Amino acid sequence: MNPIWVIAKKELNSYFNSLIGYLILSIFLIFIGAFTWLIGNDVFIRQQATLDEFFNWAPMFLLFMIPALTMKQLAEEKKSGTIELLLTKNISNRQLVIGKFLACFLMVCITIAFTLPYYITIVQLGNADHGAIIGGYIGLLLLSAAFTSIGIFASSLGDNQIVAFLLALVINVIFLFILGFVGNSFSGWFGDILNTLSIPEHYSSISRGVLDTKDLIYFGSMIFLFLFLAELKISNRG
Amino acid sequence: MDIQIQQLTKSYGFQKAVDNISFSVKTGEVLGFLGPNGAGKTTTMKMITNYIDIEQGDVLIGGQSVKSGEMSQHIGYLPEHNPLYHDMPVIDYLEFCAALQGVSKSIVPHRIREMVRLCGLDIEKHKKIGELSKGYRQRVGLAQAMIHDPEILILDEPTTGLDPNQIIEIRDLIRQMGKQKTVILSTHILPEVEATCDRILIINHGKIVADGTASTLRKQAQGQQVLKIKIDEGEVNQIYEKLQKLETVAMVDFADATHNRFEIQSVVERQSNKAIFELCVKNNWVLSECIPFETKLEDIFRDLTLN
């Protein structure tokens, strides 16, 4: 078996063998369910067969949920010293990082899969825009993968899980809100660059059902960059 | 597979943790790696297992450098403090380690059974690692190190925290393993090296200060034969004089004059046992004690590492 998959399987199992996996999954579903169907500008108030509210709110909760999943991945291994056991076995630094990433990403995918009944419900309620919804889910997965790689990177920096969580949260907030916010207050090329780097710029166009290569490249390079930095960090052990 | 360590150096800041050390370990040899805390034992082991980068020099395993990162499947490693996943059941953990080491799936159950038997984990095998006592955790650590049947075992303080019975069991296990494998174990428990190791290597401040079997180290440290004898009957001063006249004897000391005990140092490279015995026969003395005085490994260790 490929070492990447061995790690991913172990980590995924450990989420479901403890309370953490179920806890994070249910908290996410409770909040996203409430905000999609019950609170604020929900589906019934809009009287439209769309999942726009769901796709607007999901990143806000993933913002917290993904760092909670990723924070332990490398930080705990460092703290307990088990990283020494892992890396002296037949597995490379890269395989370890990718394995950890995969475990968290699959966990997020499973969580998001629990929202598929929303889609079925909307289709029953009216004429749904299938393209937009499928695009929305693809966008959500890409955004989750980007958050996950940020989380893995934050977890690789030290041996403290709380620090890893907060750091991942801060980086996520920067990409999700601050870059766009600052970008809008500058005109010209500087503002453009900041806007291009911000997640909503790309997420919203995918959510409308428009799959553009430049958005895919954006998310792809972000995932690659943070995983690469994490690998660099754990390779460098003196 | 043998291990060759060539001019290995590692420094942290200005301090050299390991300073240009070279040695080799043959297959079937158990090498005891001794030294005070901070001497560079763990650092050396971490370089052998390729956990930390080698600054200068090289470690060759079966002629191949560990720097390639491809030697890990030949090495079984028990790190210092024996880190483990406390929330994992013993069997699952061993399965995970076997999978990581690329043990083919068909023989994994067999290997796990073998390890459970060898390390005496049978009654605890379904518990989570966190529920085990320290001794059993240590066994799990050893089991994970040996699960892929590596030719080389690197054990960093394998018996810390065990009770005397467990220590003996683990030592037996290591000795048994050491017959076919190449083993390096570090410790600062001196009787342990004598009990388990074929060869001893003492390092201090990152340098090798002694290398050899326990008995050669003793000989080196001691130089001359020292005997403690007790002669019943006979007059103390008379015995003293006659002993001193023996040609193999360099020096005689009263150890306890009232009980006719003496300490005799022989001339370098000579033994006095026979001469003393014959002297006693000639004078009708009863030689009731004759004990060769052994330099304790502790003394050798102190001598070598304190200056």
Side-chain angles (χ1 to χ4, degrees), chain A residues 54-145:
Chain A
F54 168 69
F55 292 121
N56 284 340
W57 278 109
M60 311 299 161
F61 300 117
L62 291 174
L63 189 72
F64 294 94
M65 174 195 145
I66 293 178
L69 282 174
T70 55
M71 66 180 190
K72 75 161 191 177
Q73 289 303 341
L74 292 161
E76 198 182 65
E77 304 270 7
K78 281 188 175 184
K79 184 152 216 158
S80 67
T82 43
I83 194 154
E84 189 172 347
L85 272 175
L86 284 178
L87 292 175
T88 50
K89 289 191 165 28
N90 201 10
I91 177 172
S92 67
N93 301 326
R94 178 165 303 164
Q95 288 169 328
L96 177 65
V97 170
I98 296 175
K100 297 275 188 186
F101 167 79
L102 219 57
C104 298
F105 182 59
L106 286 174
M107 182 69 202
V108 180
C109 289
I110 291 167
T111 311
I112 290 176
F114 276 95
T115 65
L116 285 176
Y118 300 0
Y119 182 26
I120 298 166
T121 314
I122 285 290
V123 171
Q124 303 292 324
L125 289 176
N127 273 330
D129 180 351
H130 296 283
I133 292 177
I134 292 168
Y137 271 108
I138 293 173
L140 210 52
L141 290 182
L142 287 171
L143 173 129
S144 305

Side-chain angles (χ1 to χ4, degrees), chain A residues 77 80 84-85 89 237-238, chain B residues 10 46 51 77 83 85 144:
Chain A
E77 304 270 7
S80 67
E84 189 172 347
L85 272 175
K89 289 191 165 28
R237 28 182 204 266
Chain B
K10 179 86 190 177
K46 282 182 175 172
Y51 179 64
Y77 179 38
Y85 297 108
Q144 66 77 26

